[in-house]
Amino acid sequence: MTSVESTLALHLKNAGFSLTEPRLKVFKALQDDGPLSMQELYSRVSSINRTTVYRVIELFEELKIAQRVAKGWKYHLELTDDFIPHHHHFTCTNCHKTISFDEPKSFDVMLETVANHNGFLPTAHTLEIEGLCSDCRVLA
Amino acid sequence: MTSVESTLALHLKNAGFSLTEPRLKVFKALQDDGPLSMQELYSRVSSINRTTVYRVIELFEELKIAQRVAKGWKYHLELTDDFIPHHHHFTCTNCHKTISFDEPKSFDVMLETVANHNGFLPTAHTLEIEGLCSDCRVLA
DNA sequence: ATGAAAATTGCAACAAAGTTGCAAAAATCT
DNA sequence: AGATTTTTGCAACTTTGTTGCAATTTTCAT
């Protein structure tokens, strides 16, 4: 068992769940292949029943192991900040690849300003940028 | 015909489409009742066939009259910046209401910094914030 | 204004995405 | 090892979104 797997096992055990093959496979797919659509995820673990995949994701969301993040107007599945550092996404409108980037330092300040101004208490946020990636802007 | 309707008519005519009742009704629903889920939109224009609503939205997206924006892991339909000024959304995790807020001035600077640093050319972006609204943070 | 041509809508059937109940299989706990 | 609990897979179903085609509406030239 690798260190990541034992971290996963711990998260599950702490909440009273066991580390089963479907759960491990889904976790590994998300870890190795990054943000995935439900389709992509399902095709990568196709030995596992569709219902089970949905249920694993449901559980992972409850336990904050994985989360759904907006991609355009659909969504992607991704491990939470406990497993990969907090970041945002850029998606190329030409080649459709997704690039992750760190959150800018100035973001926090801005977020606080906005929150104060509107009276709300932020607990989570998403920032998604769309455009041409470095490769595609040369060609186009 | 009001001024907004004639603007809509113009958008459609310019692209070779006519202003029909289904198109006008969908437009008005989005204009009057803000960001709506497909369900909400459909129930507000229920005299119109479901297929037609989907086709109107498809057309509106092509002509940049309306757009889908991510809301959690579903999506909302909303008029584009041509009809309502550019803004972002805050969604309360308690009462689920959505509040629109203007884009902070510092956002542009931050966006440019990020873009330069990563070599991409941004053409669109979304910023969604989640948390407790001013009403709910008092109660909770 | 009227009729032919083109665009638009509604219907029905379908495809895809997501959910639920239940019995079989696997994991857990003495 | 055996009883108990949890987890999985299957089948049936609901919801969401799509497609082809005939009927209706709009457009445009006369």
Side-chain angles (χ1 to χ4, degrees):
Chain A
M1 201 186 265
T2 73
S3 78
V4 196
E5 284 169 40
S6 56
T7 308
L8 173 63
L10 200 70
H11 271 250
L12 289 168
K13 289 277 157 58
N14 283 346
F17 299 96
S18 38
L19 176 54
T20 62
E21 200 184 297
R23 285 167 188 170
L24 182 57
K25 279 195 175 175
V26 166
F27 183 85
K28 277 187 171 168
L30 290 177
Q31 186 181 239
D32 296 345
D33 302 329
L36 297 173
S37 69
M38 191 57 94
Q39 272 191 43
E40 292 168 332
L41 174 61
Y42 178 57
S43 72
R44 273 174 182 69
V45 293
S46 53
S47 58
I48 297 158
N49 185 276
R50 198 158 46 100
T51 308
T52 303
V53 177
Y54 278 102
R55 283 195 279 227
V56 169
I57 289 300
E58 195 186 8
L59 180 68
F60 279 11
E61 283 192 286
E62 278 171 31
L63 302 186
K64 306 247 186 288
I65 293 169
Q67 59 188 332
R68 303 187 201 211
V69 298
K71 151 132 185 174
W73 52 271
K74 303 217 171 153
Y75 67 87
H76 265 180
L77 300 159
E78 190 176 65
L79 298 181
T80 59
D81 300 354
D82 286 5
F83 297 91
I84 46 164
H86 182 67
H87 63 276
H88 295 287
H89 300 286
F90 168 85
T91 302
C92 181
T93 46
N94 187 240
C95 67
H96 300 287
K97 84 177 141 222
T98 297
I99 297 165
S100 299
F101 62 90
D102 291 342
E103 180 160 302
K105 293 176 300 294
S106 53
F107 190 92
D108 275 359
V109 182
M110 189 200 66
L111 184 61
E112 209 178 293
T113 310
V114 174
N116 287 341
H117 196 266
N118 292 274
F120 53 69
L121 181 70
T123 54
H125 64 263
T126 62
L127 169 63
E128 305 289 314
I129 305 177
E130 219 179 79
L132 291 173
C133 71
S134 49
D135 294 338
C136 293
R137 70 191 296 187
V138 182
L139 302 172
Chain B
M1 201 188 266
T2 73
S3 76
V4 197
E5 286 168 39
S6 56
T7 308
L8 173 63
L10 200 69
H11 271 250
L12 289 168
K13 289 276 157 57
N14 283 344
F17 299 96
S18 37
L19 176 55
T20 62
E21 200 184 297
R23 286 167 189 170
L24 182 57
K25 279 195 175 174
V26 166
F27 183 86
K28 276 187 171 166
L30 291 177
Q31 186 180 239
D32 296 345
D33 303 328
L36 297 173
S37 70
M38 191 58 93
Q39 272 191 45
E40 291 168 331
L41 173 61
Y42 178 56
S43 72
R44 272 174 182 71
V45 293
S46 52
S47 58
I48 297 159
N49 184 276
R50 197 159 47 99
T51 308
T52 303
V53 177
Y54 278 101
R55 283 195 279 228
V56 169
I57 289 299
E58 194 186 8
L59 180 68
F60 279 12
E61 283 192 286
E62 278 171 30
L63 302 186
K64 307 246 186 286
I65 293 169
Q67 58 190 334
R68 303 186 205 210
V69 298
K71 151 133 183 173
W73 50 274
K74 303 217 170 155
Y75 67 88
H76 265 180
L77 300 158
E78 190 178 65
L79 298 181
T80 60
D81 300 353
D82 286 4
F83 297 91
I84 46 164
H86 182 67
H87 63 276
H88 295 286
H89 301 286
F90 168 85
T91 303
C92 182
T93 47
N94 188 240
C95 66
H96 300 287
K97 83 177 141 221
T98 296
I99 297 166
S100 299
F101 63 89
D102 291 342
E103 179 160 301
K105 294 177 298 296
S106 52
F107 190 92
D108 276 356
V109 183
M110 191 201 65
L111 184 60
E112 209 177 294
T113 309
V114 174
N116 286 341
H117 196 267
N118 292 273
F120 54 70
L121 181 72
T123 54
H125 64 264
T126 63
L127 169 64
E128 305 289 313
I129 304 177
E130 218 180 81
L132 291 173
C133 71
S134 49
D135 294 339
C136 293
R137 69 190 296 187
V138 182
L139 302 171

